[in-house]
Amino acid sequence: MSERTPIVAGNWKMNKTLEPARELAGAVAEASDEVGDVELIVSPVGPYLRAVGRTMEGSDVGLAAQNVHWAESGAYTGEVSPTMLRDIGCSHAIIGHSERRQYFGETDVSVNRRARAALEHDLTAIICVGESLAERKGGDTELKIKLQVRAALSEVPRSLARNVIIAYEPLWAIGTGESATPEQAQDAHATIRQLMAGLYDQKLADTTRIIYGGSVKPHNIDGLIEQPDFDGALIGGASLQADSFLSIARSVQDYVG
Ligand code: 13P
């Protein structure tokens, strides 16, 4: 890693009811001072964002929505606008998670619209990209992630791209217990950074945080941290318990602190 502030983000997905969500958020907020060199983020389900944000009030923990719409308001049943998310204290939005692409028809075009709207409303966009197992086996990993990053950032000016975090999440590693190896993650992250330099410039590429997601656990974080283009993790399963989430955060803190 480098001068880029590392991120440890918990994507809680559709898990936790209200009280357990608040308990977890409270534990994360309480421990956040211990890991002062790490940017912590949690992402509960939409209806709990406000309550979780309140629980963490006074801490530096970021609050991420799991999705965001591109319109300000209107006839879009089931969606939430960036202004509404800002209103309730969100700082970040996860966009284009593979589960959204796989189960809810999210496309590169909609990911781009969501990303632009989020950024225009001062939400940091955590844009997720990653290849399937078939694409990896077919040697198409690089092509796939370049296509996804390029599409997601289409018409995003440099001034807004500074507020982008890219999450590399290979589909075959999500929820499977089989993390990418540190070398596989590094290769993908380096590809993304190089692409960012081409799309914008080297300075922007050097300051963009590129994080990894896919079966990150306390036992496999160490190898990832050592990779030069690894700037943190987007964690699913292991973010649902304060112990495992904070153990990963402490490992990152120990490395950079
Ligand atoms: P797991 O950590 O459960 O594999 O999930 C990763 C993920 O999808 C984070 O967004």
Side-chain angles (χ1 to χ4, degrees):
M1 276 183 291
S2 63
E3 73 286 354
R4 296 180 292 270
T5 302
I7 295 166
V8 172
N11 175 7
W12 297 354
K13 308 191 180 184
M14 199 174 73
N15 292 295
K16 300 272 173 198
T17 50
L18 183 56
E19 274 321 304
R22 288 167 64 156
E23 264 172 46
L24 177 55
V28 171
E30 205 168 299
S32 61
D33 281 351
E34 285 172 48
V35 291
D37 299 318
V38 179
E39 190 175 321
L40 296 178
I41 302 168
V42 297
S43 187
V45 291
Y48 300 162
L49 281 164
R50 191 164 166 79
V52 162
R54 283 199 167 154
T55 303
M56 302 191 306
E57 232 158 46
S59 82
D60 290 335
V61 182
L63 185 64
Q66 294 179 15
N67 199 6
V68 56
H69 196 256
W70 51 83
E72 205 51 55
S73 63
Y76 298 105
T77 303
E79 295 282 332
V80 181
S81 83
T83 309
M84 294 163 184
L85 293 176
R86 291 288 309 174
D87 257 359
I88 57 165
C90 284
S91 49
H92 297 69
I94 298 174
I95 298 169
H97 191 280
S98 65
E99 286 147 18
R100 301 248 15 120
R101 296 179 192 255
Q102 213 175 337
Y103 307 133
F104 302 102
E106 203 76 69
T107 64
D108 282 342
V109 172
S110 59
V111 167
N112 174 243
R113 294 182 83 177
R114 293 182 197 279
R116 279 189 289 156
L119 293 164
E120 279 160 12
H121 289 82
D122 218 14
L123 286 164
T124 297
I126 305 176
I127 297 171
C128 303
V129 299
E131 81 288 0
S132 67
L133 187 56
E135 287 160 344
R136 174 158 286 270
K137 286 187 169 161
D140 293 328
T141 298
E142 196 175 314
L143 181 70
K144 182 60 182 282
I145 57 186
K146 279 183 172 171
L147 275 174
Q148 287 183 326
V149 172
R150 205 184 278 279
L153 295 176
S154 170
E155 291 177 51
V156 173
R158 186 187 193 282
S159 57
L160 294 182
R162 286 185 312 189
N163 231 2
V164 166
I165 296 165
I166 306 281
Y168 168 60
E169 298 207 313
L171 273 61
W172 47 271
I174 296 177
T176 59
E178 188 199 344
S179 171
T181 65
E183 293 73 25
Q184 287 170 327
Q186 168 57 27
D187 284 350
H189 288 212
T191 295
I192 294 167
R193 199 172 308 285
Q194 201 177 22
L195 177 62
M196 293 299 283
L199 291 176
Y200 298 98
D201 53 56
Q202 193 61 48
K203 184 157 182 244
L204 185 120
D206 286 342
T207 50
T208 300
R209 268 90 58 85
I210 303 171
I211 63 179
Y212 167 79
S215 297
V216 175
K217 310 287 178 197
H219 71 81
N220 61 23
I221 187 68
D222 288 346
L224 291 163
I225 299 173
E226 291 165 5
Q227 304 307 311
D229 288 299
F230 173 88
D231 302 315
L234 182 55
I235 305 160
S239 73
L240 296 174
Q241 307 294 333
D243 283 358
S244 44
F245 183 66
L246 293 170
S247 154
I248 293 168
R250 286 190 190 102
S251 296
V252 176
Q253 170 68 35
D254 289 348
Y255 191 79
V256 294

PDB file of all heavy atoms in Angstrom, residues 162-199:
ATOM      1  N   ARG A 162     -12.307  11.629  -8.755  1.00  0.00           N
ATOM      2  CA  ARG A 162     -11.500  11.610  -7.523  1.00  0.00           C
ATOM      3  C   ARG A 162     -12.262  10.994  -6.366  1.00  0.00           C
ATOM      4  O   ARG A 162     -11.690  10.613  -5.353  1.00  0.00           O
ATOM      5  CB  ARG A 162     -11.103  13.040  -7.141  1.00  0.00           C
ATOM      6  CG  ARG A 162     -10.031  13.604  -8.044  1.00  0.00           C
ATOM      7  CD  ARG A 162      -9.600  14.947  -7.561  1.00  0.00           C
ATOM      8  NE  ARG A 162     -10.777  15.789  -7.288  1.00  0.00           N
ATOM      9  CZ  ARG A 162     -10.723  17.071  -7.006  1.00  0.00           C
ATOM     10  NH1 ARG A 162      -9.573  17.664  -6.907  1.00  0.00           N
ATOM     11  NH2 ARG A 162     -11.814  17.761  -6.788  1.00  0.00           N
ATOM     12  N   ASN A 163     -13.587  10.936  -6.520  1.00  0.00           N
ATOM     13  CA  ASN A 163     -14.433  10.398  -5.457  1.00  0.00           C
ATOM     14  C   ASN A 163     -14.899   8.968  -5.748  1.00  0.00           C
ATOM     15  O   ASN A 163     -15.941   8.538  -5.283  1.00  0.00           O
ATOM     16  CB  ASN A 163     -15.650  11.308  -5.297  1.00  0.00           C
ATOM     17  CG  ASN A 163     -15.853  11.724  -3.866  1.00  0.00           C
ATOM     18  OD1 ASN A 163     -15.066  11.373  -2.989  1.00  0.00           O
ATOM     19  ND2 ASN A 163     -16.927  12.445  -3.625  1.00  0.00           N
ATOM     20  N   VAL A 164     -14.095   8.282  -6.534  1.00  0.00           N
ATOM     21  CA  VAL A 164     -14.452   6.907  -6.915  1.00  0.00           C
ATOM     22  C   VAL A 164     -13.532   5.925  -6.191  1.00  0.00           C
ATOM     23  O   VAL A 164     -12.331   6.145  -6.087  1.00  0.00           O
ATOM     24  CB  VAL A 164     -14.297   6.728  -8.450  1.00  0.00           C
ATOM     25  CG1 VAL A 164     -14.320   5.257  -8.836  1.00  0.00           C
ATOM     26  CG2 VAL A 164     -15.394   7.491  -9.190  1.00  0.00           C
ATOM     27  N   ILE A 165     -14.132   4.864  -5.698  1.00  0.00           N
ATOM     28  CA  ILE A 165     -13.382   3.716  -5.176  1.00  0.00           C
ATOM     29  C   ILE A 165     -13.766   2.546  -6.076  1.00  0.00           C
ATOM     30  O   ILE A 165     -14.963   2.351  -6.351  1.00  0.00           O
ATOM     31  CB  ILE A 165     -13.797   3.409  -3.718  1.00  0.00           C
ATOM     32  CG1 ILE A 165     -13.422   4.578  -2.792  1.00  0.00           C
ATOM     33  CG2 ILE A 165     -13.175   2.102  -3.231  1.00  0.00           C
ATOM     34  CD1 ILE A 165     -14.114   4.507  -1.420  1.00  0.00           C
ATOM     35  N   ILE A 166     -12.790   1.810  -6.547  1.00  0.00           N
ATOM     36  CA  ILE A 166     -13.115   0.630  -7.354  1.00  0.00           C
ATOM     37  C   ILE A 166     -12.958  -0.608  -6.471  1.00  0.00           C
ATOM     38  O   ILE A 166     -11.929  -0.782  -5.805  1.00  0.00           O
ATOM     39  CB  ILE A 166     -12.186   0.491  -8.583  1.00  0.00           C
ATOM     40  CG1 ILE A 166     -12.168   1.770  -9.426  1.00  0.00           C
ATOM     41  CG2 ILE A 166     -12.584  -0.742  -9.414  1.00  0.00           C
ATOM     42  CD1 ILE A 166     -13.329   1.979 -10.347  1.00  0.00           C
ATOM     43  N   ALA A 167     -13.989  -1.445  -6.472  1.00  0.00           N
ATOM     44  CA  ALA A 167     -13.912  -2.713  -5.743  1.00  0.00           C
ATOM     45  C   ALA A 167     -13.795  -3.837  -6.761  1.00  0.00           C
ATOM     46  O   ALA A 167     -14.716  -4.047  -7.558  1.00  0.00           O
ATOM     47  CB  ALA A 167     -15.147  -2.902  -4.874  1.00  0.00           C
ATOM     48  N   TYR A 168     -12.665  -4.515  -6.722  1.00  0.00           N
ATOM     49  CA  TYR A 168     -12.497  -5.692  -7.583  1.00  0.00           C
ATOM     50  C   TYR A 168     -13.029  -6.904  -6.832  1.00  0.00           C
ATOM     51  O   TYR A 168     -12.490  -7.276  -5.791  1.00  0.00           O
ATOM     52  CB  TYR A 168     -11.014  -5.884  -7.944  1.00  0.00           C
ATOM     53  CG  TYR A 168     -10.767  -7.229  -8.585  1.00  0.00           C
ATOM     54  CD1 TYR A 168     -11.410  -7.588  -9.769  1.00  0.00           C
ATOM     55  CD2 TYR A 168      -9.917  -8.165  -7.991  1.00  0.00           C
ATOM     56  CE1 TYR A 168     -11.222  -8.842 -10.343  1.00  0.00           C
ATOM     57  CE2 TYR A 168      -9.713  -9.411  -8.564  1.00  0.00           C
ATOM     58  CZ  TYR A 168     -10.369  -9.738  -9.744  1.00  0.00           C
ATOM     59  OH  TYR A 168     -10.188 -10.982 -10.303  1.00  0.00           O
ATOM     60  N   GLU A 169     -14.110  -7.467  -7.354  1.00  0.00           N
ATOM     61  CA  GLU A 169     -14.749  -8.598  -6.684  1.00  0.00           C
ATOM     62  C   GLU A 169     -15.011  -9.721  -7.702  1.00  0.00           C
ATOM     63  O   GLU A 169     -16.056  -9.729  -8.361  1.00  0.00           O
ATOM     64  CB  GLU A 169     -16.092  -8.170  -6.079  1.00  0.00           C
ATOM     65  CG  GLU A 169     -15.989  -7.093  -5.026  1.00  0.00           C
ATOM     66  CD  GLU A 169     -17.137  -7.169  -4.023  1.00  0.00           C
ATOM     67  OE1 GLU A 169     -18.306  -7.293  -4.420  1.00  0.00           O
ATOM     68  OE2 GLU A 169     -16.855  -7.136  -2.825  1.00  0.00           O
ATOM     69  N   PRO A 170     -14.068 -10.637  -7.839  1.00  0.00           N
ATOM     70  CA  PRO A 170     -14.296 -11.742  -8.774  1.00  0.00           C
ATOM     71  C   PRO A 170     -15.484 -12.588  -8.315  1.00  0.00           C
ATOM     72  O   PRO A 170     -15.581 -12.939  -7.136  1.00  0.00           O
ATOM     73  CB  PRO A 170     -12.983 -12.537  -8.725  1.00  0.00           C
ATOM     74  CG  PRO A 170     -12.285 -12.116  -7.473  1.00  0.00           C
ATOM     75  CD  PRO A 170     -12.784 -10.752  -7.113  1.00  0.00           C
ATOM     76  N   LEU A 171     -16.386 -12.868  -9.226  1.00  0.00           N
ATOM     77  CA  LEU A 171     -17.645 -13.535  -8.849  1.00  0.00           C
ATOM     78  C   LEU A 171     -17.409 -14.876  -8.173  1.00  0.00           C
ATOM     79  O   LEU A 171     -18.139 -15.253  -7.264  1.00  0.00           O
ATOM     80  CB  LEU A 171     -18.530 -13.728 -10.091  1.00  0.00           C
ATOM     81  CG  LEU A 171     -19.436 -12.557 -10.445  1.00  0.00           C
ATOM     82  CD1 LEU A 171     -18.647 -11.297 -10.748  1.00  0.00           C
ATOM     83  CD2 LEU A 171     -20.343 -12.902 -11.607  1.00  0.00           C
ATOM     84  N   TRP A 172     -16.398 -15.589  -8.632  1.00  0.00           N
ATOM     85  CA  TRP A 172     -16.135 -16.930  -8.119  1.00  0.00           C
ATOM     86  C   TRP A 172     -15.594 -16.909  -6.686  1.00  0.00           C
ATOM     87  O   TRP A 172     -15.514 -17.951  -6.033  1.00  0.00           O
ATOM     88  CB  TRP A 172     -15.157 -17.672  -9.050  1.00  0.00           C
ATOM     89  CG  TRP A 172     -13.955 -16.834  -9.423  1.00  0.00           C
ATOM     90  CD1 TRP A 172     -13.852 -15.990 -10.482  1.00  0.00           C
ATOM     91  CD2 TRP A 172     -12.708 -16.744  -8.725  1.00  0.00           C
ATOM     92  NE1 TRP A 172     -12.620 -15.369 -10.493  1.00  0.00           N
ATOM     93  CE2 TRP A 172     -11.893 -15.815  -9.438  1.00  0.00           C
ATOM     94  CE3 TRP A 172     -12.197 -17.352  -7.580  1.00  0.00           C
ATOM     95  CZ2 TRP A 172     -10.604 -15.491  -9.023  1.00  0.00           C
ATOM     96  CZ3 TRP A 172     -10.912 -17.029  -7.171  1.00  0.00           C
ATOM     97  CH2 TRP A 172     -10.133 -16.111  -7.887  1.00  0.00           C
ATOM     98  N   ALA A 173     -15.239 -15.731  -6.200  1.00  0.00           N
ATOM     99  CA  ALA A 173     -14.688 -15.636  -4.844  1.00  0.00           C
ATOM    100  C   ALA A 173     -15.719 -15.129  -3.835  1.00  0.00           C
ATOM    101  O   ALA A 173     -15.481 -15.162  -2.631  1.00  0.00           O
ATOM    102  CB  ALA A 173     -13.480 -14.707  -4.840  1.00  0.00           C
ATOM    103  N   ILE A 174     -16.868 -14.663  -4.334  1.00  0.00           N
ATOM    104  CA  ILE A 174     -17.858 -14.059  -3.428  1.00  0.00           C
ATOM    105  C   ILE A 174     -18.686 -15.135  -2.742  1.00  0.00           C
ATOM    106  O   ILE A 174     -19.354 -15.933  -3.405  1.00  0.00           O
ATOM    107  CB  ILE A 174     -18.779 -13.086  -4.199  1.00  0.00           C
ATOM    108  CG1 ILE A 174     -17.955 -11.915  -4.741  1.00  0.00           C
ATOM    109  CG2 ILE A 174     -19.916 -12.593  -3.315  1.00  0.00           C
ATOM    110  CD1 ILE A 174     -18.744 -10.930  -5.575  1.00  0.00           C
ATOM    111  N   GLY A 175     -18.587 -15.159  -1.430  1.00  0.00           N
ATOM    112  CA  GLY A 175     -19.396 -16.081  -0.645  1.00  0.00           C
ATOM    113  C   GLY A 175     -19.012 -17.541  -0.801  1.00  0.00           C
ATOM    114  O   GLY A 175     -19.735 -18.439  -0.361  1.00  0.00           O
ATOM    115  N   THR A 176     -17.878 -17.805  -1.419  1.00  0.00           N
ATOM    116  CA  THR A 176     -17.487 -19.198  -1.673  1.00  0.00           C
ATOM    117  C   THR A 176     -16.453 -19.703  -0.685  1.00  0.00           C
ATOM    118  O   THR A 176     -16.194 -20.902  -0.620  1.00  0.00           O
ATOM    119  CB  THR A 176     -16.863 -19.325  -3.083  1.00  0.00           C
ATOM    120  OG1 THR A 176     -15.714 -18.460  -3.144  1.00  0.00           O
ATOM    121  CG2 THR A 176     -17.862 -18.942  -4.164  1.00  0.00           C
ATOM    122  N   GLY A 177     -15.824 -18.797   0.053  1.00  0.00           N
ATOM    123  CA  GLY A 177     -14.733 -19.203   0.936  1.00  0.00           C
ATOM    124  C   GLY A 177     -13.414 -19.311   0.175  1.00  0.00           C
ATOM    125  O   GLY A 177     -12.353 -19.538   0.755  1.00  0.00           O
ATOM    126  N   GLU A 178     -13.491 -19.147  -1.150  1.00  0.00           N
ATOM    127  CA  GLU A 178     -12.275 -19.238  -1.959  1.00  0.00           C
ATOM    128  C   GLU A 178     -11.865 -17.835  -2.418  1.00  0.00           C
ATOM    129  O   GLU A 178     -12.358 -17.322  -3.426  1.00  0.00           O
ATOM    130  CB  GLU A 178     -12.539 -20.123  -3.194  1.00  0.00           C
ATOM    131  CG  GLU A 178     -11.292 -20.428  -3.973  1.00  0.00           C
ATOM    132  CD  GLU A 178     -11.591 -20.894  -5.402  1.00  0.00           C
ATOM    133  OE1 GLU A 178     -12.735 -21.269  -5.684  1.00  0.00           O
ATOM    134  OE2 GLU A 178     -10.667 -20.858  -6.225  1.00  0.00           O
ATOM    135  N   SER A 179     -10.990 -17.222  -1.649  1.00  0.00           N
ATOM    136  CA  SER A 179     -10.536 -15.873  -1.998  1.00  0.00           C
ATOM    137  C   SER A 179      -9.598 -15.937  -3.199  1.00  0.00           C
ATOM    138  O   SER A 179      -8.955 -16.956  -3.442  1.00  0.00           O
ATOM    139  CB  SER A 179      -9.793 -15.285  -0.794  1.00  0.00           C
ATOM    140  OG  SER A 179      -9.162 -14.081  -1.146  1.00  0.00           O
ATOM    141  N   ALA A 180      -9.525 -14.829  -3.942  1.00  0.00           N
ATOM    142  CA  ALA A 180      -8.460 -14.728  -4.948  1.00  0.00           C
ATOM    143  C   ALA A 180      -7.131 -14.780  -4.211  1.00  0.00           C
ATOM    144  O   ALA A 180      -7.044 -14.377  -3.052  1.00  0.00           O
ATOM    145  CB  ALA A 180      -8.588 -13.403  -5.697  1.00  0.00           C
ATOM    146  N   THR A 181      -6.109 -15.274  -4.876  1.00  0.00           N
ATOM    147  CA  THR A 181      -4.788 -15.230  -4.237  1.00  0.00           C
ATOM    148  C   THR A 181      -4.318 -13.775  -4.241  1.00  0.00           C
ATOM    149  O   THR A 181      -4.785 -12.964  -5.053  1.00  0.00           O
ATOM    150  CB  THR A 181      -3.762 -16.076  -5.014  1.00  0.00           C
ATOM    151  OG1 THR A 181      -3.576 -15.483  -6.297  1.00  0.00           O
ATOM    152  CG2 THR A 181      -4.217 -17.527  -5.162  1.00  0.00           C
ATOM    153  N   PRO A 182      -3.377 -13.449  -3.355  1.00  0.00           N
ATOM    154  CA  PRO A 182      -2.845 -12.077  -3.365  1.00  0.00           C
ATOM    155  C   PRO A 182      -2.329 -11.686  -4.746  1.00  0.00           C
ATOM    156  O   PRO A 182      -2.500 -10.541  -5.175  1.00  0.00           O
ATOM    157  CB  PRO A 182      -1.720 -12.140  -2.330  1.00  0.00           C
ATOM    158  CG  PRO A 182      -2.146 -13.214  -1.384  1.00  0.00           C
ATOM    159  CD  PRO A 182      -2.840 -14.238  -2.226  1.00  0.00           C
ATOM    160  N   GLU A 183      -1.723 -12.631  -5.456  1.00  0.00           N
ATOM    161  CA  GLU A 183      -1.173 -12.313  -6.784  1.00  0.00           C
ATOM    162  C   GLU A 183      -2.285 -12.037  -7.779  1.00  0.00           C
ATOM    163  O   GLU A 183      -2.191 -11.135  -8.612  1.00  0.00           O
ATOM    164  CB  GLU A 183      -0.293 -13.470  -7.282  1.00  0.00           C
ATOM    165  CG  GLU A 183       0.983 -13.680  -6.478  1.00  0.00           C
ATOM    166  CD  GLU A 183       0.745 -14.285  -5.094  1.00  0.00           C
ATOM    167  OE1 GLU A 183      -0.295 -14.974  -4.891  1.00  0.00           O
ATOM    168  OE2 GLU A 183       1.588 -14.070  -4.198  1.00  0.00           O
ATOM    169  N   GLN A 184      -3.362 -12.836  -7.711  1.00  0.00           N
ATOM    170  CA  GLN A 184      -4.493 -12.607  -8.627  1.00  0.00           C
ATOM    171  C   GLN A 184      -5.121 -11.236  -8.363  1.00  0.00           C
ATOM    172  O   GLN A 184      -5.460 -10.499  -9.288  1.00  0.00           O
ATOM    173  CB  GLN A 184      -5.558 -13.701  -8.457  1.00  0.00           C
ATOM    174  CG  GLN A 184      -5.148 -15.041  -9.034  1.00  0.00           C
ATOM    175  CD  GLN A 184      -6.115 -16.152  -8.646  1.00  0.00           C
ATOM    176  OE1 GLN A 184      -6.701 -16.143  -7.555  1.00  0.00           O
ATOM    177  NE2 GLN A 184      -6.289 -17.118  -9.532  1.00  0.00           N
ATOM    178  N   ALA A 185      -5.279 -10.912  -7.081  1.00  0.00           N
ATOM    179  CA  ALA A 185      -5.857  -9.609  -6.733  1.00  0.00           C
ATOM    180  C   ALA A 185      -4.929  -8.498  -7.215  1.00  0.00           C
ATOM    181  O   ALA A 185      -5.371  -7.530  -7.835  1.00  0.00           O
ATOM    182  CB  ALA A 185      -6.080  -9.521  -5.224  1.00  0.00           C
ATOM    183  N   GLN A 186      -3.631  -8.653  -6.958  1.00  0.00           N
ATOM    184  CA  GLN A 186      -2.664  -7.619  -7.370  1.00  0.00           C
ATOM    185  C   GLN A 186      -2.720  -7.396  -8.885  1.00  0.00           C
ATOM    186  O   GLN A 186      -2.728  -6.259  -9.351  1.00  0.00           O
ATOM    187  CB  GLN A 186      -1.249  -8.008  -6.908  1.00  0.00           C
ATOM    188  CG  GLN A 186      -0.116  -7.181  -7.502  1.00  0.00           C
ATOM    189  CD  GLN A 186      -0.242  -5.681  -7.254  1.00  0.00           C
ATOM    190  OE1 GLN A 186      -0.840  -5.242  -6.274  1.00  0.00           O
ATOM    191  NE2 GLN A 186       0.313  -4.879  -8.163  1.00  0.00           N
ATOM    192  N   ASP A 187      -2.752  -8.483  -9.649  1.00  0.00           N
ATOM    193  CA  ASP A 187      -2.786  -8.339 -11.119  1.00  0.00           C
ATOM    194  C   ASP A 187      -3.995  -7.512 -11.542  1.00  0.00           C
ATOM    195  O   ASP A 187      -3.893  -6.621 -12.378  1.00  0.00           O
ATOM    196  CB  ASP A 187      -2.876  -9.714 -11.802  1.00  0.00           C
ATOM    197  CG  ASP A 187      -1.543 -10.443 -11.773  1.00  0.00           C
ATOM    198  OD1 ASP A 187      -0.535  -9.804 -11.408  1.00  0.00           O
ATOM    199  OD2 ASP A 187      -1.517 -11.642 -12.108  1.00  0.00           O
ATOM    200  N   ALA A 188      -5.155  -7.838 -10.963  1.00  0.00           N
ATOM    201  CA  ALA A 188      -6.386  -7.122 -11.338  1.00  0.00           C
ATOM    202  C   ALA A 188      -6.309  -5.659 -10.904  1.00  0.00           C
ATOM    203  O   ALA A 188      -6.677  -4.759 -11.660  1.00  0.00           O
ATOM    204  CB  ALA A 188      -7.597  -7.803 -10.709  1.00  0.00           C
ATOM    205  N   HIS A 189      -5.810  -5.432  -9.708  1.00  0.00           N
ATOM    206  CA  HIS A 189      -5.729  -4.052  -9.212  1.00  0.00           C
ATOM    207  C   HIS A 189      -4.766  -3.229 -10.065  1.00  0.00           C
ATOM    208  O   HIS A 189      -5.028  -2.060 -10.369  1.00  0.00           O
ATOM    209  CB  HIS A 189      -5.291  -4.029  -7.739  1.00  0.00           C
ATOM    210  CG  HIS A 189      -6.349  -4.508  -6.798  1.00  0.00           C
ATOM    211  ND1 HIS A 189      -6.483  -4.031  -5.511  1.00  0.00           N
ATOM    212  CD2 HIS A 189      -7.340  -5.424  -6.952  1.00  0.00           C
ATOM    213  CE1 HIS A 189      -7.514  -4.640  -4.919  1.00  0.00           C
ATOM    214  NE2 HIS A 189      -8.038  -5.491  -5.777  1.00  0.00           N
ATOM    215  N   ALA A 190      -3.654  -3.842 -10.449  1.00  0.00           N
ATOM    216  CA  ALA A 190      -2.679  -3.119 -11.285  1.00  0.00           C
ATOM    217  C   ALA A 190      -3.299  -2.788 -12.638  1.00  0.00           C
ATOM    218  O   ALA A 190      -3.094  -1.683 -13.173  1.00  0.00           O
ATOM    219  CB  ALA A 190      -1.412  -3.955 -11.453  1.00  0.00           C
ATOM    220  N   THR A 191      -4.068  -3.718 -13.172  1.00  0.00           N
ATOM    221  CA  THR A 191      -4.758  -3.469 -14.450  1.00  0.00           C
ATOM    222  C   THR A 191      -5.706  -2.283 -14.313  1.00  0.00           C
ATOM    223  O   THR A 191      -5.758  -1.405 -15.179  1.00  0.00           O
ATOM    224  CB  THR A 191      -5.575  -4.731 -14.853  1.00  0.00           C
ATOM    225  OG1 THR A 191      -4.651  -5.786 -15.095  1.00  0.00           O
ATOM    226  CG2 THR A 191      -6.422  -4.489 -16.078  1.00  0.00           C
ATOM    227  N   ILE A 192      -6.431  -2.253 -13.228  1.00  0.00           N
ATOM    228  CA  ILE A 192      -7.404  -1.166 -13.011  1.00  0.00           C
ATOM    229  C   ILE A 192      -6.670   0.173 -12.848  1.00  0.00           C
ATOM    230  O   ILE A 192      -7.064   1.184 -13.417  1.00  0.00           O
ATOM    231  CB  ILE A 192      -8.301  -1.467 -11.789  1.00  0.00           C
ATOM    232  CG1 ILE A 192      -9.186  -2.697 -12.080  1.00  0.00           C
ATOM    233  CG2 ILE A 192      -9.153  -0.253 -11.423  1.00  0.00           C
ATOM    234  CD1 ILE A 192      -9.884  -3.287 -10.865  1.00  0.00           C
ATOM    235  N   ARG A 193      -5.568   0.145 -12.104  1.00  0.00           N
ATOM    236  CA  ARG A 193      -4.853   1.408 -11.885  1.00  0.00           C
ATOM    237  C   ARG A 193      -4.276   1.943 -13.207  1.00  0.00           C
ATOM    238  O   ARG A 193      -4.344   3.139 -13.489  1.00  0.00           O
ATOM    239  CB  ARG A 193      -3.740   1.248 -10.827  1.00  0.00           C
ATOM    240  CG  ARG A 193      -3.323   2.596 -10.262  1.00  0.00           C
ATOM    241  CD  ARG A 193      -2.364   2.507  -9.087  1.00  0.00           C
ATOM    242  NE  ARG A 193      -2.754   1.658  -8.000  1.00  0.00           N
ATOM    243  CZ  ARG A 193      -3.690   1.944  -7.089  1.00  0.00           C
ATOM    244  NH1 ARG A 193      -4.349   3.083  -7.163  1.00  0.00           N
ATOM    245  NH2 ARG A 193      -3.963   1.090  -6.110  1.00  0.00           N
ATOM    246  N   GLN A 194      -3.776   1.018 -13.990  1.00  0.00           N
ATOM    247  CA  GLN A 194      -3.220   1.424 -15.281  1.00  0.00           C
ATOM    248  C   GLN A 194      -4.326   2.012 -16.175  1.00  0.00           C
ATOM    249  O   GLN A 194      -4.130   3.014 -16.851  1.00  0.00           O
ATOM    250  CB  GLN A 194      -2.631   0.185 -15.940  1.00  0.00           C
ATOM    251  CG  GLN A 194      -1.624   0.469 -16.994  1.00  0.00           C
ATOM    252  CD  GLN A 194      -1.035  -0.837 -17.536  1.00  0.00           C
ATOM    253  OE1 GLN A 194      -1.632  -1.907 -17.421  1.00  0.00           O
ATOM    254  NE2 GLN A 194       0.132  -0.729 -18.122  1.00  0.00           N
ATOM    255  N   LEU A 195      -5.489   1.380 -16.119  1.00  0.00           N
ATOM    256  CA  LEU A 195      -6.610   1.887 -16.920  1.00  0.00           C
ATOM    257  C   LEU A 195      -7.014   3.290 -16.449  1.00  0.00           C
ATOM    258  O   LEU A 195      -7.300   4.171 -17.264  1.00  0.00           O
ATOM    259  CB  LEU A 195      -7.803   0.922 -16.817  1.00  0.00           C
ATOM    260  CG  LEU A 195      -9.070   1.361 -17.549  1.00  0.00           C
ATOM    261  CD1 LEU A 195      -8.832   1.473 -19.052  1.00  0.00           C
ATOM    262  CD2 LEU A 195     -10.210   0.373 -17.288  1.00  0.00           C
ATOM    263  N   MET A 196      -7.033   3.481 -15.126  1.00  0.00           N
ATOM    264  CA  MET A 196      -7.381   4.813 -14.588  1.00  0.00           C
ATOM    265  C   MET A 196      -6.389   5.864 -15.082  1.00  0.00           C
ATOM    266  O   MET A 196      -6.774   6.999 -15.378  1.00  0.00           O
ATOM    267  CB  MET A 196      -7.382   4.797 -13.052  1.00  0.00           C
ATOM    268  CG  MET A 196      -8.474   3.954 -12.414  1.00  0.00           C
ATOM    269  SD  MET A 196     -10.142   4.508 -12.814  1.00  0.00           S
ATOM    270  CE  MET A 196     -10.319   5.931 -11.747  1.00  0.00           C
ATOM    271  N   ALA A 197      -5.129   5.489 -15.184  1.00  0.00           N
ATOM    272  CA  ALA A 197      -4.123   6.432 -15.687  1.00  0.00           C
ATOM    273  C   ALA A 197      -4.427   6.774 -17.142  1.00  0.00           C
ATOM    274  O   ALA A 197      -4.284   7.928 -17.559  1.00  0.00           O
ATOM    275  CB  ALA A 197      -2.728   5.839 -15.546  1.00  0.00           C
ATOM    276  N   GLY A 198      -4.861   5.781 -17.896  1.00  0.00           N
ATOM    277  CA  GLY A 198      -5.198   6.023 -19.296  1.00  0.00           C
ATOM    278  C   GLY A 198      -6.467   6.859 -19.440  1.00  0.00           C
ATOM    279  O   GLY A 198      -6.544   7.746 -20.289  1.00  0.00           O
ATOM    280  N   LEU A 199      -7.449   6.587 -18.607  1.00  0.00           N
ATOM    281  CA  LEU A 199      -8.719   7.314 -18.696  1.00  0.00           C
ATOM    282  C   LEU A 199      -8.577   8.747 -18.183  1.00  0.00           C
ATOM    283  O   LEU A 199      -9.238   9.656 -18.683  1.00  0.00           O
ATOM    284  CB  LEU A 199      -9.804   6.607 -17.866  1.00  0.00           C
ATOM    285  CG  LEU A 199     -10.303   5.246 -18.355  1.00  0.00           C
ATOM    286  CD1 LEU A 199     -11.298   4.648 -17.350  1.00  0.00           C
ATOM    287  CD2 LEU A 199     -10.967   5.384 -19.721  1.00  0.00           C
TER     288      LEU A 199
END
